[in-house]
Short mmCIF file of all heavy atoms in Angstrom, two decimals:
data_model
loop_
_atom_site.label_atom_id
_atom_site.label_comp_id
_atom_site.label_asym_id
_atom_site.label_seq_id
_atom_site.Cartn_x
_atom_site.Cartn_y
_atom_site.Cartn_z
N LYS A 292 104.27 87.16 117.12
CA LYS A 292 104.69 87.73 118.41
C LYS A 292 103.81 87.27 119.56
O LYS A 292 104.28 86.96 120.63
CB LYS A 292 104.66 89.26 118.37
CG LYS A 292 105.73 89.87 117.54
CD LYS A 292 105.61 91.38 117.57
CE LYS A 292 106.52 92.02 116.55
NZ LYS A 292 106.31 93.44 116.44
N GLU A 293 102.49 87.21 119.29
CA GLU A 293 101.57 86.87 120.37
C GLU A 293 101.63 85.41 120.79
O GLU A 293 101.11 85.03 121.82
CB GLU A 293 100.13 87.28 120.03
CG GLU A 293 99.54 86.75 118.76
CD GLU A 293 99.84 87.54 117.49
OE1 GLU A 293 100.54 88.56 117.49
OE2 GLU A 293 99.38 87.08 116.45
N ASP A 294 102.29 84.56 119.98
CA ASP A 294 102.40 83.14 120.32
C ASP A 294 103.79 82.64 119.93
O ASP A 294 103.96 81.94 118.94
CB ASP A 294 101.30 82.34 119.61
CG ASP A 294 101.21 80.91 120.13
OD1 ASP A 294 101.99 80.55 121.04
OD2 ASP A 294 100.37 80.15 119.63
N ALA A 295 104.78 83.01 120.72
CA ALA A 295 106.18 82.71 120.40
C ALA A 295 106.51 81.22 120.43
O ALA A 295 107.54 80.80 119.94
CB ALA A 295 107.10 83.46 121.36
N THR A 296 105.62 80.40 120.99
CA THR A 296 105.89 78.97 121.06
C THR A 296 105.30 78.20 119.89
O THR A 296 105.60 77.03 119.71
CB THR A 296 105.31 78.38 122.37
OG1 THR A 296 103.89 78.57 122.37
CG2 THR A 296 105.94 79.02 123.58
N SER A 297 104.46 78.84 119.10
CA SER A 297 103.80 78.13 118.00
C SER A 297 104.71 78.01 116.78
O SER A 297 105.74 78.66 116.68
CB SER A 297 102.51 78.85 117.60
OG SER A 297 102.82 80.07 116.98
N GLU A 298 104.28 77.18 115.86
CA GLU A 298 105.01 76.97 114.62
C GLU A 298 104.96 78.24 113.77
O GLU A 298 103.93 78.92 113.72
CB GLU A 298 104.30 75.84 113.86
CG GLU A 298 105.24 74.93 113.14
CD GLU A 298 104.51 73.74 112.51
OE1 GLU A 298 103.61 73.19 113.14
OE2 GLU A 298 104.88 73.41 111.38
N PRO A 299 106.05 78.58 113.07
CA PRO A 299 106.01 79.75 112.17
C PRO A 299 104.95 79.55 111.09
O PRO A 299 104.73 78.42 110.63
CB PRO A 299 107.41 79.79 111.57
CG PRO A 299 108.26 78.96 112.46
CD PRO A 299 107.36 77.95 113.09
N LYS A 300 104.30 80.65 110.68
CA LYS A 300 103.23 80.58 109.69
C LYS A 300 103.44 81.60 108.58
O LYS A 300 104.05 82.64 108.78
CB LYS A 300 101.88 80.84 110.35
CG LYS A 300 101.48 79.77 111.34
CD LYS A 300 100.13 80.08 111.94
CE LYS A 300 99.75 79.01 112.95
NZ LYS A 300 98.49 79.32 113.61
N TYR A 301 102.89 81.27 107.43
CA TYR A 301 102.77 82.22 106.34
C TYR A 301 101.56 83.08 106.65
O TYR A 301 100.65 82.66 107.36
CB TYR A 301 102.55 81.50 105.01
CG TYR A 301 103.72 80.64 104.60
CD1 TYR A 301 103.76 79.28 104.93
CD2 TYR A 301 104.80 81.19 103.91
CE1 TYR A 301 104.83 78.49 104.56
CE2 TYR A 301 105.88 80.40 103.54
CZ TYR A 301 105.89 79.06 103.87
OH TYR A 301 106.95 78.28 103.51
N GLY A 302 101.52 84.27 106.10
CA GLY A 302 100.33 85.08 106.31
C GLY A 302 100.51 86.52 105.89
O GLY A 302 101.55 86.92 105.38
N LEU A 303 99.46 87.27 106.13
CA LEU A 303 99.46 88.70 105.88
C LEU A 303 98.27 89.32 106.59
O LEU A 303 97.38 88.63 107.04
CB LEU A 303 99.45 89.02 104.38
CG LEU A 303 98.44 88.35 103.47
CD1 LEU A 303 97.03 88.87 103.65
CD2 LEU A 303 98.85 88.56 102.03
N THR A 304 98.33 90.63 106.69
CA THR A 304 97.20 91.39 107.23
C THR A 304 96.58 92.13 106.06
O THR A 304 97.27 92.75 105.26
CB THR A 304 97.67 92.37 108.32
OG1 THR A 304 98.27 91.60 109.38
CG2 THR A 304 96.50 93.16 108.88
N MET A 305 95.25 92.04 105.96
CA MET A 305 94.50 92.65 104.87
C MET A 305 93.85 93.94 105.38
O MET A 305 93.04 93.89 106.31
CB MET A 305 93.42 91.67 104.39
CG MET A 305 93.99 90.35 103.91
SD MET A 305 92.73 89.12 103.45
CE MET A 305 92.32 88.45 105.06
N LEU A 306 94.24 95.06 104.79
CA LEU A 306 93.68 96.36 105.17
C LEU A 306 92.61 96.73 104.14
O LEU A 306 92.92 97.12 103.02
CB LEU A 306 94.76 97.44 105.19
CG LEU A 306 95.97 97.20 106.09
CD1 LEU A 306 96.94 98.38 105.97
CD2 LEU A 306 95.54 96.99 107.53
N PHE A 307 91.35 96.58 104.54
CA PHE A 307 90.25 96.90 103.64
C PHE A 307 89.89 98.38 103.77
O PHE A 307 89.91 98.94 104.87
CB PHE A 307 89.03 96.04 103.97
CG PHE A 307 89.26 94.58 103.73
CD1 PHE A 307 89.49 93.71 104.78
CD2 PHE A 307 89.26 94.07 102.44
CE1 PHE A 307 89.73 92.36 104.56
CE2 PHE A 307 89.49 92.72 102.21
CZ PHE A 307 89.72 91.87 103.27
N PRO A 308 89.55 99.03 102.65
CA PRO A 308 89.15 100.44 102.73
C PRO A 308 87.79 100.57 103.42
O PRO A 308 87.01 99.61 103.45
CB PRO A 308 89.07 100.87 101.27
CG PRO A 308 88.82 99.61 100.50
CD PRO A 308 89.49 98.51 101.29
N LYS A 309 87.52 101.75 103.94
CA LYS A 309 86.20 102.00 104.54
C LYS A 309 85.14 101.69 103.49
O LYS A 309 85.29 102.03 102.32
CB LYS A 309 86.07 103.45 104.97
CG LYS A 309 86.81 103.79 106.23
CD LYS A 309 86.54 105.22 106.63
CE LYS A 309 87.28 105.57 107.91
NZ LYS A 309 87.01 106.93 108.35
N GLY A 310 84.07 101.04 103.92
CA GLY A 310 82.97 100.74 103.02
C GLY A 310 83.15 99.51 102.15
O GLY A 310 82.29 99.20 101.33
N ALA A 311 84.25 98.78 102.31
CA ALA A 311 84.47 97.56 101.51
C ALA A 311 83.36 96.56 101.81
O ALA A 311 82.90 96.44 102.96
CB ALA A 311 85.83 96.96 101.82
N ASP A 312 82.92 95.83 100.79
CA ASP A 312 81.87 94.82 100.96
C ASP A 312 82.51 93.54 101.51
O ASP A 312 83.11 92.77 100.77
CB ASP A 312 81.18 94.55 99.63
CG ASP A 312 80.07 93.51 99.74
OD1 ASP A 312 79.76 93.05 100.87
OD2 ASP A 312 79.51 93.14 98.70
N LEU A 313 82.37 93.35 102.80
CA LEU A 313 82.93 92.17 103.46
C LEU A 313 81.87 91.11 103.75
O LEU A 313 82.08 90.21 104.55
CB LEU A 313 83.63 92.59 104.77
CG LEU A 313 84.73 93.64 104.62
CD1 LEU A 313 85.32 93.99 105.98
CD2 LEU A 313 85.82 93.14 103.68
N SER A 314 80.73 91.21 103.07
CA SER A 314 79.60 90.32 103.35
C SER A 314 79.95 88.85 103.14
O SER A 314 79.54 88.00 103.94
CB SER A 314 78.38 90.71 102.52
OG SER A 314 78.68 90.66 101.14
N LYS A 315 80.74 88.52 102.11
CA LYS A 315 81.10 87.11 101.88
C LYS A 315 82.02 86.60 102.98
O LYS A 315 81.89 85.46 103.43
CB LYS A 315 81.76 86.94 100.51
CG LYS A 315 80.80 87.11 99.36
CD LYS A 315 81.48 86.89 98.04
CE LYS A 315 80.50 87.09 96.89
NZ LYS A 315 81.16 86.96 95.59
N LEU A 316 82.95 87.44 103.42
CA LEU A 316 83.84 87.04 104.52
C LEU A 316 83.06 86.87 105.82
O LEU A 316 83.28 85.91 106.57
CB LEU A 316 84.94 88.08 104.71
CG LEU A 316 85.98 88.19 103.61
CD1 LEU A 316 86.90 89.38 103.86
CD2 LEU A 316 86.78 86.92 103.50
N LYS A 317 82.14 87.78 106.08
CA LYS A 317 81.34 87.69 107.30
C LYS A 317 80.43 86.47 107.28
O LYS A 317 80.26 85.80 108.30
CB LYS A 317 80.54 88.98 107.51
CG LYS A 317 81.45 90.14 107.88
CD LYS A 317 80.70 91.43 108.10
CE LYS A 317 81.68 92.52 108.52
NZ LYS A 317 81.03 93.79 108.81
N ALA A 318 79.87 86.16 106.12
CA ALA A 318 79.03 84.96 106.00
C ALA A 318 79.86 83.70 106.22
O ALA A 318 79.41 82.76 106.88
CB ALA A 318 78.36 84.93 104.62
N ALA A 319 81.08 83.68 105.69
CA ALA A 319 81.96 82.52 105.89
C ALA A 319 82.31 82.36 107.37
O ALA A 319 82.35 81.25 107.90
CB ALA A 319 83.23 82.68 105.06
N ALA A 320 82.55 83.48 108.06
CA ALA A 320 82.86 83.44 109.49
C ALA A 320 81.66 82.89 110.27
O ALA A 320 81.82 82.05 111.17
CB ALA A 320 83.25 84.82 109.99
N GLN A 321 80.46 83.36 109.93
CA GLN A 321 79.24 82.87 110.61
C GLN A 321 79.04 81.38 110.37
O GLN A 321 78.65 80.65 111.28
CB GLN A 321 78.01 83.65 110.12
CG GLN A 321 77.88 85.02 110.74
CD GLN A 321 77.73 84.94 112.25
OE1 GLN A 321 78.68 85.25 112.97
NE2 GLN A 321 76.60 84.53 112.74
N GLU A 322 79.32 80.94 109.16
CA GLU A 322 79.18 79.52 108.83
C GLU A 322 80.17 78.67 109.65
O GLU A 322 79.84 77.59 110.13
CB GLU A 322 79.39 79.29 107.33
CG GLU A 322 79.18 77.86 106.89
CD GLU A 322 77.76 77.34 107.12
OE1 GLU A 322 76.80 78.14 107.07
OE2 GLU A 322 77.62 76.14 107.39
N ALA A 323 81.40 79.18 109.81
CA ALA A 323 82.40 78.46 110.61
C ALA A 323 81.95 78.35 112.07
O ALA A 323 82.13 77.30 112.70
CB ALA A 323 83.75 79.18 110.53
N VAL A 324 81.35 79.40 112.60
CA VAL A 324 80.83 79.37 113.98
C VAL A 324 79.73 78.33 114.09
O VAL A 324 79.70 77.52 115.03
CB VAL A 324 80.31 80.78 114.40
CG1 VAL A 324 79.51 80.69 115.68
CG2 VAL A 324 81.47 81.75 114.55
N LYS A 325 78.83 78.33 113.13
CA LYS A 325 77.71 77.39 113.15
C LYS A 325 78.20 75.94 113.03
O LYS A 325 77.69 75.05 113.71
CB LYS A 325 76.73 77.71 112.03
CG LYS A 325 75.44 76.96 112.13
CD LYS A 325 74.43 77.48 111.14
CE LYS A 325 73.11 76.76 111.38
NZ LYS A 325 72.03 77.30 110.60
N GLU A 326 79.21 75.70 112.19
CA GLU A 326 79.76 74.36 112.04
C GLU A 326 80.36 73.85 113.35
O GLU A 326 80.24 72.68 113.68
CB GLU A 326 80.85 74.33 110.97
CG GLU A 326 80.33 74.31 109.55
CD GLU A 326 81.45 74.28 108.52
OE1 GLU A 326 82.59 73.91 108.87
OE2 GLU A 326 81.17 74.63 107.36
N LYS A 327 81.03 74.74 114.09
CA LYS A 327 81.72 74.33 115.32
C LYS A 327 80.76 74.23 116.51
O LYS A 327 80.84 73.30 117.30
CB LYS A 327 82.86 75.28 115.64
CG LYS A 327 83.64 74.87 116.89
CD LYS A 327 85.10 75.12 116.72
CE LYS A 327 85.91 74.62 117.87
NZ LYS A 327 86.46 73.31 117.63
N TRP A 328 79.88 75.21 116.67
CA TRP A 328 79.06 75.28 117.88
C TRP A 328 77.55 75.19 117.64
O TRP A 328 76.77 75.33 118.57
CB TRP A 328 79.37 76.57 118.64
CG TRP A 328 80.75 76.59 119.22
CD1 TRP A 328 81.23 75.82 120.24
CD2 TRP A 328 81.84 77.42 118.83
NE1 TRP A 328 82.55 76.10 120.48
CE2 TRP A 328 82.95 77.10 119.64
CE3 TRP A 328 82.00 78.42 117.86
CZ2 TRP A 328 84.17 77.73 119.52
CZ3 TRP A 328 83.23 79.04 117.74
CH2 TRP A 328 84.30 78.70 118.57
N GLY A 329 77.14 75.00 116.40
CA GLY A 329 75.71 74.90 116.11
C GLY A 329 75.01 76.23 116.36
O GLY A 329 75.56 77.29 116.12
N ASP A 330 73.79 76.14 116.88
CA ASP A 330 72.99 77.34 117.12
C ASP A 330 73.27 78.00 118.46
O ASP A 330 72.61 78.98 118.82
CB ASP A 330 71.49 77.01 117.01
CG ASP A 330 71.09 76.65 115.59
OD1 ASP A 330 71.72 77.17 114.64
OD2 ASP A 330 70.15 75.85 115.42
N LYS A 331 74.23 77.45 119.23
CA LYS A 331 74.55 78.01 120.55
C LYS A 331 76.04 78.34 120.66
O LYS A 331 76.78 77.68 121.38
CB LYS A 331 74.13 77.03 121.64
CG LYS A 331 72.64 76.81 121.69
CD LYS A 331 72.23 75.95 122.84
CE LYS A 331 70.72 75.77 122.81
NZ LYS A 331 70.23 74.99 123.91
N PRO A 332 76.49 79.39 119.95
CA PRO A 332 77.91 79.76 120.04
C PRO A 332 78.23 80.36 121.41
O PRO A 332 77.35 80.88 122.08
CB PRO A 332 78.08 80.80 118.94
CG PRO A 332 76.73 81.38 118.75
CD PRO A 332 75.76 80.28 119.05
N PRO A 333 79.47 80.28 121.83
CA PRO A 333 79.87 80.91 123.09
C PRO A 333 79.59 82.42 123.03
O PRO A 333 79.58 83.02 121.95
CB PRO A 333 81.38 80.65 123.17
CG PRO A 333 81.63 79.52 122.25
CD PRO A 333 80.59 79.59 121.19
N LYS A 334 79.39 83.02 124.19
CA LYS A 334 79.02 84.44 124.25
C LYS A 334 80.12 85.38 123.79
O LYS A 334 79.88 86.36 123.12
CB LYS A 334 78.56 84.79 125.65
CG LYS A 334 77.21 84.20 125.97
CD LYS A 334 76.69 84.69 127.29
CE LYS A 334 75.29 84.32 127.45
NZ LYS A 334 74.73 83.40 128.16
N SER A 335 81.34 85.11 124.20
CA SER A 335 82.43 86.05 123.87
C SER A 335 83.40 85.42 122.87
O SER A 335 84.40 84.83 123.25
CB SER A 335 83.16 86.50 125.13
OG SER A 335 83.68 85.38 125.81
N LEU A 336 83.09 85.56 121.60
CA LEU A 336 83.95 85.03 120.54
C LEU A 336 84.86 86.14 120.02
O LEU A 336 84.43 87.28 119.86
CB LEU A 336 83.12 84.52 119.37
CG LEU A 336 82.37 83.22 119.55
CD1 LEU A 336 81.55 82.91 118.32
CD2 LEU A 336 83.33 82.08 119.81
N ARG A 337 86.10 85.80 119.74
CA ARG A 337 87.02 86.76 119.12
C ARG A 337 86.67 86.87 117.64
O ARG A 337 86.57 85.87 116.95
CB ARG A 337 88.47 86.30 119.27
CG ARG A 337 88.96 86.39 120.69
CD ARG A 337 90.42 86.04 120.75
NE ARG A 337 90.90 86.18 122.11
CZ ARG A 337 92.15 86.07 122.46
NH1 ARG A 337 93.07 85.81 121.55
NH2 ARG A 337 92.52 86.22 123.71
N SER A 338 86.50 88.08 117.21
CA SER A 338 86.15 88.34 115.81
C SER A 338 87.42 88.55 114.98
O SER A 338 88.36 89.20 115.45
CB SER A 338 85.27 89.58 115.71
OG SER A 338 85.07 89.93 114.36
N PRO A 339 87.43 88.08 113.75
CA PRO A 339 88.58 88.34 112.88
C PRO A 339 88.54 89.75 112.28
O PRO A 339 89.51 90.22 111.71
CB PRO A 339 88.44 87.28 111.79
CG PRO A 339 86.97 87.01 111.72
CD PRO A 339 86.46 87.18 113.12
#
Side-chain angles (χ1 to χ4, degrees):
K292 288 180 190 173
E293 56 274 1
D294 190 1
T296 61
S297 70
E298 217 174 319
K300 294 181 181 176
Y301 296 93
L303 50 73
T304 300
M305 301 175 278
L306 304 180
F307 295 103
K309 284 184 180 182
D312 180 5
L313 303 179
S314 58
K315 289 182 181 177
L316 291 173
K317 290 180 178 183
Q321 282 299 106
E322 184 62 31
V324 168
K325 191 171 185 173
E326 281 180 20
K327 182 142 185 96
W328 293 292
D330 292 330
K331 295 185 180 182
K334 288 187 169 105
S335 58
L336 286 177
R337 290 185 178 187
S338 173

